[in-house]
Amino acid sequence: RLERLQRVVTKLQMESGICEEQLNQADALLQADVRLLAAGKAPQKAAEVERDLDKADAMIRLLFNDVQSLKDGRHPQGEQMYRRVYRLHERLVSIRTEYNLRLKSGAPVTAVTTVSLASGQRRPEPDEAPLRYLQDLLAWVEENQRRVAAAEWGADLPTVETHLGAHRGLHRAIEEFRAKVERARADEVRPPGCWGTPVLGADEVSPHPPVSPQNSSKSRLRHLESLHGFVSAATKELLWLSEREEEEVAFDWSHHNPAMAAKKESYS
């Protein structure tokens, strides 16, 4: 049993290193595209970034399963391996959040601007800046509202922990989004002379979308934490039952066993 668990530890160490390289590559490609966006150019590596993130996501799910087998076997390195995989998962969430916020929302606007300039159309006026920024904000809100609504819950402890860790990262990003909303609100109430003619009416520029992901995110986080507490407790009980079952199966139930009297007393 110890040899089998040690093989799991070796596998975890090797595959977590591969996963870290995958995340490094995704982050490097993402930052290259962010620099292109800042220079007014269309991103080039969005599909590769998403593919690398999906690969890392699938790998981390398998790593969590291996970690759980170490915990179930009470291996001394179980907690250490769990922290290692959890850090990888937090980094995955961080990179994916930046990808959704900066690349997914920024790419369409930049692409439209590039095409317009290439076809000889006018350069966007300063009046359009608040509108473009607001469109980016609303696209980000809609994307993350969909993510919260469609997210899964998990059917066992490793998957629940995975979803909980992922949502904590997303929830932090949603909470940090407030600063951008405040900036949009400041643009909305800014005197018209600052931007020229008003871009939108006050009812159109409202930084509060009809459905806010913040309340949905808080609710999901609360339910995930409650689910995690229940599944953790249930898993401990199932492990206890499994241990008792192993004892019963291995017990010598013949009448010649001198421990039978004590067994009867235990059952009574």
Side-chain angles (χ1 to χ4, degrees), residues 110-124:
T110 306
V112 169
T113 305
T114 304
V115 170
S116 299
L117 294 176
S119 59
Q121 297 179 16
R122 66 183 179 83
R123 186 178 296 275

Side-chain angles (χ1 to χ4, degrees), residues 263-268:
K263 194 70 169 178
K264 287 180 181 179
E265 181 66 24
S266 172
Y267 266 73
S268 65

Side-chain angles (χ1 to χ4, degrees), residues 214-229:
Q214 191 169 26
N215 291 337
S216 302
S217 178
K218 282 182 179 177
S219 175
R220 174 170 166 78
L221 182 60
R222 186 172 65 252
H223 290 314
L224 271 170
E225 287 173 341
S226 174
L227 177 62
H228 182 260

Side-chain angles (χ1 to χ4, degrees), residues 1-2 4-5 67-76 239:
R1 185 181 67 88
L2 289 175
R4 178 179 59 80
L5 292 175
V67 165
Q68 190 59 43
S69 69
L70 289 183
K71 286 189 166 186
D72 292 347
R74 292 179 173 78
H75 192 278
L239 288 172

Side-chain angles (χ1 to χ4, degrees), residues 1-195:
R1 185 181 67 88
L2 289 175
E3 287 177 3
R4 178 179 59 80
L5 292 175
Q6 193 55 46
R7 285 197 296 271
V8 173
V9 171
T10 304
K11 176 173 175 282
L12 272 166
Q13 290 170 335
M14 181 182 68
E15 292 185 353
S16 62
I18 295 171
C19 184
E20 188 170 13
E21 290 175 9
Q22 193 93 50
L23 291 172
N24 288 340
Q25 178 175 303
D27 195 24
L29 293 173
L30 172 61
Q31 298 311 319
D33 268 0
V34 168
R35 287 192 291 272
L36 286 176
L37 282 173
K41 299 177 182 178
Q44 303 293 325
K45 304 292 185 181
E48 291 181 46
V49 173
E50 189 150 8
R51 188 167 60 247
D52 284 344
L53 291 177
D54 287 344
K55 285 181 181 177
D57 192 358
M59 191 176 293
I60 286 171
R61 289 175 187 273
L62 295 175
L63 291 175
F64 269 122
N65 288 338
D66 287 338
V67 165
Q68 190 59 43
S69 69
L70 289 183
K71 286 189 166 186
D72 292 347
R74 292 179 173 78
H75 192 278
Q77 287 181 270
E79 190 61 32
Q80 176 190 346
M81 290 294 104
Y82 171 77
R83 287 195 298 270
R84 183 169 182 171
V85 176
Y86 187 78
R87 281 195 297 270
L88 288 174
H89 187 266
E90 281 193 320
R91 186 157 183 234
L92 169 70
V93 171
S94 173
I95 296 172
R96 193 183 287 282
T97 300
E98 185 177 7
Y99 167 75
N100 287 328
L101 182 59
R102 303 185 68 178
L103 209 58
K104 266 195 172 179
S105 62
V109 176
T110 306
V112 169
T113 305
T114 304
V115 170
S116 299
L117 294 176
S119 59
Q121 297 179 16
R122 66 183 179 83
R123 186 178 296 275
E125 297 296 326
D127 292 347
E128 296 175 7
L131 175 58
R132 280 205 318 274
Y133 187 70
L134 181 64
Q135 287 171 336
D136 286 352
L137 297 186
L138 291 175
W140 190 90
V141 167
E142 289 169 3
E143 167 70 18
N144 284 284
Q145 180 63 30
R146 282 194 297 270
R147 285 182 65 191
V148 171
E152 297 179 357
W153 296 94
D156 53 27
L157 188 56
T159 54
V160 171
E161 286 181 339
T162 297
H163 291 310
L164 179 58
H167 190 71
R168 279 174 174 159
L170 175 60
H171 188 69
R172 281 197 298 271
I174 290 173
E175 290 290 332
E176 291 165 2
F177 189 68
R178 184 182 300 275
K180 295 180 175 62
V181 172
E182 293 302 325
R183 176 180 156 188
R185 182 180 295 160
D187 289 346
E188 176 186 359
V189 300
R190 189 171 297 193
C194 294
W195 292 112

